[in-house]
Amino acid sequence: MLSTSSQSRLLDCPIQTPVSQGCISSASLFSYSASDFIYDLRNPLSNDNEDCSKFEDILISRWEDAEKCNLLNYDLNCMYKLLEGEFNFSVQLNVERGEKRRKPMHFRALREPFSNLRWNFTKLKEDEILLYLQRKDHLLTSDTSDYHVVAVNASPLARGHSLLLPCINCCIPQVLSEVAVRLATDIMLLVRDSSFHVLFNSLLALASINHLHLHLLTWPYDSDLINRRCEHLVDNVYVVKRPIWFAYAFVIQLTGSEQYEKFIMSIARCADYLSTHEVAHNVFFSRAQPLRTSGAIQSEDKTNVLPQLVTAYIFPRVAVVGAKPVKSFGPASLELSGCLTAYTYQFFDTVTEEGVLRTIDEEATLPDSRFNQICSELKQVLSGKMLVEHSTANKIEPLSSPELEELRDSFQTFEMHSPRRFFPADDQQFTFEEKGKPTNTNPGTSL
């Protein structure tokens, strides 16, 4: 059950909390609107002086309750260090994550169809669901039966590490959609902590599960990427090139409320182009100083006076076909932003910037000619001179031997639950008439 302090915080938040007899009460509905958004952390336009927003407060409270109920695979006991060098890498030692996280899946294509035979987030236990999200002033999707979930990450990188699951009931594959970008942006705007990030990894870019999800977490050290000089590409899209940063990235920044829709659509169109053209990619949402195209290669805001704006970094990269190997570290969205997780003490103790750059060059870096081609085509797409041609949906191919082995292993851990479990009988808002998709019986409610 929630502690007294947690219950008092719940009363102060826009939350509806159904009654439950479990270790954690049934997942709460967090409602928000654009009036809650903080576009510049230096100028929050709010009368309160709280360090945490209402969203952060309830998320951490629910995550800590999940921790008390032993829903995590391990207790967080991490060490950190900074690497000497040009890019100011920070490294976390997290041996348990390397040993106890879910076995990675094997993927063969960037737009691989969703398969209900493989592990997906409809298999989550009730207590792993922390929040349902509802935007009061804007329908996130045209279908009011869609619902959006924040769930605990059972193998966390940091306190509060959770998963954002847009339209969880629709069983969407791991392709970054406009709705996912909108939810990621909204959450970034709801959080006061400048160390908070939203991460996305596409298939073939170290995503573990082919069911649409993004990571929500904090990291104790700033990525030096936010201090780097950019080049303008087209409209509100910029690029960071090598050697200014060690990985190529498209950069899009949200400068104010009037740019909200344009920011979301630019990210969605970039991601759509990359996935349609089978370019693996990682996305890193952060707070950053205003983008600049002149001056020093690296310039840190040491006086803490520049605006802190929501900024998205999109990394096109070399595809990783097959299951993720368990090794010292894997270059996904956090790593390409300069924040590494080491899975062995030996690697943590001996890692150098030179070694990290060598691994990233070998496993993630696109050739210069390929990145320049992507820039040229993306510029045409964003300026309306080139259409993105979507191929027809891939058919689900027969499972390969590694996938059959994965499926056999997963059957030993599946706990089949009806989606009804999320809603007590007295508070039931859905009827499950279609397989895997609830129907909202209250048209005025959007989850």
Side-chain angles (χ1 to χ4, degrees), residues 298-315:
Q298 192 267 10
S299 179
E300 185 177 352
D301 178 23
K302 295 182 179 179
T303 58
N304 297 324
V305 296
L306 293 177
Q308 289 183 307
L309 307 173
V310 173
T311 308
Y313 298 87
I314 305 172
F315 302 96

Side-chain angles (χ1 to χ4, degrees), residues 2 10 14-31 58 62-63 65 71 124-133 147-152 165 168 419-424 427 429-430 447:
L2 292 174
L10 282 172
I15 298 292
Q16 299 174 11
T17 312
V19 177
S20 172
Q21 300 299 320
C23 182
I24 303 177
S25 63
S26 295
S28 304
L29 175 63
F30 184 88
S31 299
I58 186 62
R62 298 284 297 173
W63 190 91
D65 288 328
L71 295 178
L124 287 173
K125 300 174 184 177
E126 177 180 359
D127 291 344
E128 293 177 293
I129 304 293
L130 304 182
L131 297 171
Y132 288 92
L133 299 176
Y147 54 103
H148 318 288
V149 163
V150 176
V152 67
L165 310 175
I168 185 175
R420 295 177 186 273
R421 74 189 190 280
F422 296 139
F423 302 95
D427 295 329
Q429 295 179 335
F430 299 94
L447 287 179

Side-chain angles (χ1 to χ4, degrees), residues 195-251:
S195 67
F196 182 88
H197 306 287
V198 179
L199 315 174
F200 173 83
N201 302 314
S202 77
L203 297 188
L204 310 190
L206 302 192
S208 298
I209 297 169
N210 189 20
H211 190 177
L212 183 56
H213 66 285
L214 300 90
H215 293 262
L216 311 177
L217 58 79
T218 57
W219 192 262
Y221 298 96
D222 286 344
S223 164
D224 200 31
L225 176 59
I226 67 174
N227 303 317
R228 299 288 164 154
R229 189 180 70 206
C230 302
E231 296 180 21
H232 183 247
L233 181 66
V234 60
D235 202 6
N236 65 335
V237 180
Y238 294 75
V239 293
V240 173
K241 294 184 177 181
R242 290 159 51 91
I244 291 178
W245 191 246
F246 58 84
Y248 291 118
F250 298 106
V251 189

Side-chain angles (χ1 to χ4, degrees), residues 297-446:
I297 288 176
Q298 192 267 10
S299 179
E300 185 177 352
D301 178 23
K302 295 182 179 179
T303 58
N304 297 324
V305 296
L306 293 177
Q308 289 183 307
L309 307 173
V310 173
T311 308
Y313 298 87
I314 305 172
F315 302 96
R317 45 91 52 80
V318 170
V320 179
V321 179
K324 294 186 297 186
V326 177
K327 56 180 183 179
S328 300
F329 85 98
S333 55
L334 200 56
E335 289 75 16
L336 294 180
S337 305
C339 310
L340 310 182
T341 298
Y343 296 137
T344 67
Y345 181 79
Q346 180 180 5
F347 176 78
F348 179 79
D349 187 48
T350 60
V351 61
T352 63
E353 181 177 277
E354 181 182 2
V356 170
L357 294 176
R358 183 167 55 250
T359 297
I360 291 174
D361 282 347
E362 292 172 354
E363 300 185 11
T365 303
L366 288 171
D368 294 348
S369 58
R370 179 63 177 128
F371 179 73
N372 290 334
Q373 179 188 11
I374 292 171
C375 284
S376 178
E377 292 184 1
L378 187 57
K379 187 174 181 179
Q380 296 290 313
V381 169
L382 295 175
S383 60
K385 298 178 181 178
M386 174 180 169
L387 296 177
V388 176
E389 297 182 4
H390 293 87
S391 59
T392 56
N394 295 326
K395 295 181 180 179
I396 299 179
E397 299 180 5
L399 297 180
S400 64
S401 296
E403 291 164 342
L404 288 171
E405 184 72 18
E406 165 208 311
L407 185 60
R408 187 185 69 178
D409 293 343
S410 66
F411 275 135
Q412 300 174 15
T413 61
F414 276 4
E415 291 191 32
M416 302 300 291
H417 301 284
S418 165
R420 295 177 186 273
R421 74 189 190 280
F422 296 139
F423 302 95
D426 294 341
D427 295 329
Q428 187 79 29
Q429 295 179 335
F430 299 94
T431 58
F432 292 84
E433 299 174 346
E434 297 179 34
K435 183 177 180 181
K437 186 172 183 180
T439 300
N440 193 340
T441 58
N442 182 359
T445 303
S446 174

Side-chain angles (χ1 to χ4, degrees), residues 126-145:
E126 177 180 359
D127 291 344
E128 293 177 293
I129 304 293
L130 304 182
L131 297 171
Y132 288 92
L133 299 176
Q134 177 192 53
R135 181 159 172 181
K136 295 181 290 186
D137 58 345
H138 180 84
L139 283 177
L140 292 166
T141 67
S142 58
D143 189 343
T144 56
S145 68

